Amino acid sequence: MMVIFVSMSEKKAIKTTRRVLDAFANRIGENTWQTVITQEGIDMVKRLLRKSASKSTSVSCHWIRSRQISELLWIVGNKNKFDEDGNVPVNSTGREILKNYVETGWSFMPVVQSITAVAALLHDIGKASRYFQAKLGNDSHSADPFRHELISAMLVQGMYCFCTNQNRDIWEELAAGKIPQLKDILNYCRDASNEIKPQYKPFKNNTSITLYCILWLILSHHRLPLPLNDNGDKITGSDCKNGASKLSDLFSYITTGYTYRRFAENDSSDVNRFKSDLDCCFTFDSDFSSFSKKWQNDLKKWCQRLRDVSPEIEKFSENGTLRLILRYARLSLMLGDHFFSSLDPDPKWQSESSLYANTNQDHRGKQKLDEHLCGVKNVALKVSHYLPAVKNSLPHTGIIRSLKQKSEGKYIWQDRAAAAVKNFRKENPSVSGAFILNLAGTGCGKTTANAKIAAVLGEEEGTLRFTLALGLRTLTLQTGDEYRDRLRLTDEELAVVIGSDAILHLHEQEREQQRNPKKDINIFTGSESLEEIFDAETVFEGEL
């Protein structure tokens, strides 16, 4: 096949690109190469270019199919140097076209970042309890009487109730650096009639949608709450069957249940110990005033921003956009919490607090609690900042010719299904996304059909980027092999991830043996006698 390589590389990448392309093709211009090459050679060129690629690398490969038709095969490096057909722009402008979130279509980004930052700075304050700190010191693996997410949410709820009773706005108070003391907050977290049973009903009576957003992110940053009662049974009723249409209605279904609470056994000794542990969950030896100035200043800064965007949150809750905003915020918070928890503590962190958020492998205190809160906030904000770039910046396979080929025989239904989805998109351009059920028997070609359907669902027809989640490791590996063989995807275009490196290694060895059967050496075939085995000269001689 005849191909043309076009390089738009800059700076030091020019020499690197020319060195690779000169080895495979004839240079017919300053930045253009042409040659007749096999598919394996094209894959080799792409692999070498990707290996040495930098931010300044940009190379496209065009397949000359006829005198009038050429097809873009792939682009390595900066794809902004070419359009979707591989053409090079001839004009440019120095004006900053996309200079803010409004012009990128993410006008709600300030709301996402505000609620994410405030939730991150408060999401683990429940770990300051005497029980949790003792648990870290004892390296206990027993379930908490009340999970720290619930305690953190109740403390934030207590802040709101305390400020409301004082005729003050919680976000104004926090923005001014006036954090309520724990002794005042706990009065609204406990039931006055019972010193052990905490009160969770105030979630129903709030009118602040902004507070609901913060509470929801805190409660769900590890697990989604289930509508269970204290007996572990599902909450029933007409309202629960219809579901919650508003965020405020959702909190009427959230109880301690079995999602956030551990219940005592029947024996008296466990009951007494459970009551003692439960009381420690709402006992704090230090106040928030011991937290670092960094945490206090960050809380002031982002509570002020949250107060400024509160009217927009009210508007988004009315038009149904709030669900999407909370999904992005929860994603950012969870990724930030997971990533920062894996990092080593900062030796330069300055704080008077002796509270810890987690432990290291030696079961010693790792990150300070206020350090953890600020670190999760920083990472979560970075995640949310890059969300608009996910759509255009993530790599994809480019145009896959095998997806355009017509299916034959019993696989014709694949093209019919893909054509039906494509026609639906044309008739309904405003509809984004789809819920598709692919029901077919074993061996009917569902795997390839899913790829064809995913390709027509994308904005650029023929390109492919999608994630396929399967329930079995072996099925995942088999599906990866089918995509690699049928669609001719390389290791740079296809990633297969399972939960066992050993099984993946054995699977790769088996594939290698199938490709090169002559390399297999069987010392014992089962037909030799013991005399024949010991008479043979083997590497085991002298070791038996």
Side-chain angles (χ1 to χ4, degrees), residues 98-110 316 321 324 328 388:
L98 301 178
K99 60 183 179 181
N100 53 41
Y101 292 124
V102 176
E103 294 185 2
T104 60
W106 285 67
S107 57
F108 51 82
M109 179 57 71
F316 289 142
T321 312
L324 180 63
Y328 286 131

Side-chain angles (χ1 to χ4, degrees), residues 154-287:
M154 294 177 68
L155 291 177
V156 176
Q157 171 70 28
M159 294 181 187
Y160 175 84
C161 294
F162 174 76
C163 293
T164 302
N165 288 345
Q166 301 291 328
N167 295 323
R168 293 180 291 182
D169 181 74
I170 178 176
W171 311 122
E172 290 184 0
E173 292 293 301
L174 295 179
K178 301 177 182 178
I179 304 176
Q181 296 183 0
L182 278 170
K183 62 179 182 179
D184 298 325
I185 298 174
L186 291 175
N187 292 332
Y188 298 94
C189 298
R190 303 292 296 271
D191 189 350
S193 62
N194 192 327
E195 296 182 356
I196 296 179
K197 182 180 179 181
Q199 186 178 359
Y200 206 61
K201 293 181 180 180
F203 284 131
K204 293 183 180 180
N205 304 326
N206 297 329
T207 58
S208 173
I209 299 297
T210 304
L211 177 67
Y212 283 135
C213 294
I214 302 300
L215 294 178
W216 170 252
L217 293 179
I218 294 175
L219 287 171
S220 63
H221 78 270
H222 280 303
R223 58 173 63 178
L224 289 173
L226 299 175
L228 303 176
N229 57 25
D230 289 344
N231 297 323
D233 302 325
K234 273 193 173 183
I235 299 176
T236 59
S238 58
D239 294 336
C240 192
K241 291 181 180 179
N242 297 330
S245 58
K246 297 180 180 180
L247 185 62
S248 56
D249 299 335
L250 178 63
F251 280 87
S252 62
Y253 303 141
I254 299 177
T255 64
T256 55
Y258 277 84
T259 307
Y260 301 108
R261 184 177 181 182
R262 171 175 63 88
F263 291 89
E265 302 295 337
N266 295 327
D267 58 288
S268 58
S269 61
D270 187 76
V271 170
N272 294 332
R273 180 172 56 86
F274 177 79
K275 290 181 179 179
S276 176
D277 293 345
L278 190 64
D279 186 63
C280 288
C281 287
F282 294 92
T283 303
F284 299 85
D285 295 327
S286 60
D287 212 325

